[in-house]
Amino acid sequence: MQPQPLVSILINNYNYAQFLRDAINSALNQTYPNIEIVVVDDGSTDNSSEIIASYGDAIIPVLKANGGQASAFNAGFAASRGDIICFLDADDIFLPEKVAEVVRILKDYQESLWCFHPLKKVDSADILSINILSIKSDHQNLVQECDVRSDICQGGGRMRQKLPFSIPATSGLCFTRPLLQQVFPMPEAEGIGLGDTYLQFTSVALGKGFAALSNLAYQRVHDRNLYTHNANRKPVTANILCLTAFWIRTNFPFLTQFAHKLFAAGLNNYWKSDHSNKTTQETLNKYLASVTFLEKLKIYLRSLYYYFTSIDIV
């Protein structure tokens, strides 16, 4: 890796104009100098495009029709040039030393292909009062090597034991370009967040990486953020898990056992929802039609286990 590798910060936005400036400014305020900022607007109908235009040459704008998170990721990655790619949701904020810390880790451990870190959740009121320039992590420079490739190939049973925290959402994900070239372009699914779920699991299956034990970004909790606010999310979760399982199995057959387990979790969420999502039903039927009777039996048994034990996370 070069002494100062280029880092691409990919910001994906859809109708988050009220938060977008905070996200872009946090990217511009990084202590690491060699960065490019790619801002993808996924067909917003608010004034996001005007905010993006106001930054001029400081960022690389990508304006596209609405196509969902995976579509935005694909467009952003295609427009990027970085050796390292850090993803940032438009309603979240990076700490100033985030990129410098990620570069340090990936340079010190040359065989690592990804770096994840936890996110500190804050609400919109609190985040406005935080002086992020003054914050230093209690766990700065602490990292843990993570290699779960064999575990995820065997179904992911011990994967969670080898990670110091749950795989974070988008703003805690960083990758080397060679790894993402194996994943992109990603399958696209309009209207749901297939992007980060697919990215999370395929990346840890394709290479080893490191977990930084620092909260290097803030995840904003607000009433429009489905996964940090909405308690009734099982229908959407079912759709995401089933679609992710389908595409992981399709594009990475060596992860079939893990895909079956992920699909069972999605099926459990579907059973607990109102069964009204036709897209999810179509995905369920398509997936189950492509497996053997024994595989189908195992999927149903695992889903029943999740159902009666209230465990539905892989």
Side-chain angles (χ1 to χ4, degrees):
M1 188 175 290
Q2 298 298 319
Q4 279 198 327
L6 177 64
V7 177
S8 300
I9 300 176
L10 269 53
I11 301 176
N12 63 97
N13 174 70
Y14 176 66
N15 284 343
Y16 275 168
Q18 66 193 105
F19 310 128
L20 183 56
R21 285 192 187 277
D22 288 343
I24 295 176
N25 290 340
S26 76
L28 289 170
N29 288 332
Q30 291 298 300
T31 60
Y32 184 81
N34 195 20
I35 63 172
E36 65 174 13
I37 301 167
V38 180
V39 182
V40 181
D41 185 73
D42 192 39
S44 294
T45 57
D46 58 13
N47 66 323
S48 292
S49 60
E50 287 85 354
I51 293 172
I52 292 170
S54 71
Y55 284 88
D57 295 337
I59 64 175
I60 300 170
V62 179
L63 308 179
K64 59 181 290 297
N66 182 253
Q69 188 184 48
S71 174
F73 283 178
N74 284 337
F77 183 67
S80 72
R81 300 174 296 117
D83 306 296
I84 298 171
I85 292 88
C86 299
F87 289 86
L88 174 61
D89 278 337
D91 54 340
D92 294 340
I93 292 177
F94 280 174
L95 269 66
E97 56 275 282
K98 184 286 192 9
V99 170
E101 178 68 0
V102 170
V103 171
R104 181 192 70 79
I105 292 169
L106 293 178
K107 284 178 65 178
D108 287 351
Y109 306 97
Q110 293 285 326
E111 294 182 2
S112 56
L113 297 180
W114 51 266
C115 177
F116 296 165
H117 64 78
L119 302 171
K120 183 175 178 60
K121 292 182 180 180
V122 292
D123 64 36
S124 291
D126 289 339
I127 208 167
L128 295 176
S129 65
I130 292 172
N131 180 7
I132 64 172
L133 294 177
S134 67
I135 290 174
K136 297 296 181 183
S137 170
D138 292 336
H139 300 290
Q140 195 168 14
N141 298 327
L142 294 180
V143 297
Q144 178 175 320
E145 183 177 13
C146 303
D147 188 351
V148 298
R149 288 174 292 180
S150 61
D151 299 279
I152 196 170
C153 288
Q154 295 170 17
R158 298 183 59 197
M159 183 175 69
R160 295 170 67 187
Q161 300 173 23
K162 293 187 176 181
L163 297 172
F165 46 78
S166 298
I167 298 178
T170 304
S171 300
L173 306 177
C174 310
F175 307 93
T176 62
R177 191 169 203 88
L179 175 62
L180 290 189
Q181 286 172 334
Q182 301 177 65
V183 177
F184 283 84
M186 298 170 58
E188 299 180 6
E190 185 175 354
I192 68 167
L194 177 64
D196 58 358
T197 309
Y198 181 87
L199 188 56
Q200 290 162 347
F201 292 127
T202 56
S203 61
V204 299
L206 291 170
K208 68 178 181 180
F210 273 79
L213 305 185
S214 310
N215 292 318
L216 297 175
Y218 288 110
Q219 183 177 22
R220 192 190 306 254
V221 180
H222 55 91
D223 59 1
R224 294 173 56 204
N225 188 316
L226 178 65
Y227 294 100
T228 57
H229 187 83
N230 188 356
N232 186 26
R233 57 184 184 233
K234 291 192 180 298
V236 176
T237 301
N239 200 9
I240 291 172
L241 292 176
C242 291
L243 278 172
T244 300
F246 175 82
W247 284 112
I248 285 178
R249 181 169 175 257
T250 300
N251 292 339
F252 301 96
F254 70 95
L255 295 177
T256 292
Q257 289 188 54
F258 178 76
H260 287 346
K261 193 172 183 180
L262 198 65
F263 183 84
L267 181 60
N268 171 46
N269 277 270
Y270 179 74
W271 285 343
K272 293 179 178 179
S273 69
D274 58 9
H275 299 188
S276 63
N277 192 306
K278 293 183 179 180
T279 303
T280 305
Q281 184 62 62
E282 291 172 0
T283 304
L284 287 169
N285 293 339
K286 189 174 183 179
Y287 194 102
L288 292 171
S290 67
V291 301
T292 66
F293 173 79
L294 182 58
E295 287 176 316
K296 187 183 300 185
L297 178 61
K298 290 180 178 179
I299 288 171
Y300 275 112
L301 289 174
R302 179 171 293 277
S303 190
L304 285 170
Y305 169 75
Y306 290 154
Y307 188 90
F308 288 111
T309 61
S310 298
I311 298 175
D312 60 0
I313 300 175
V314 176

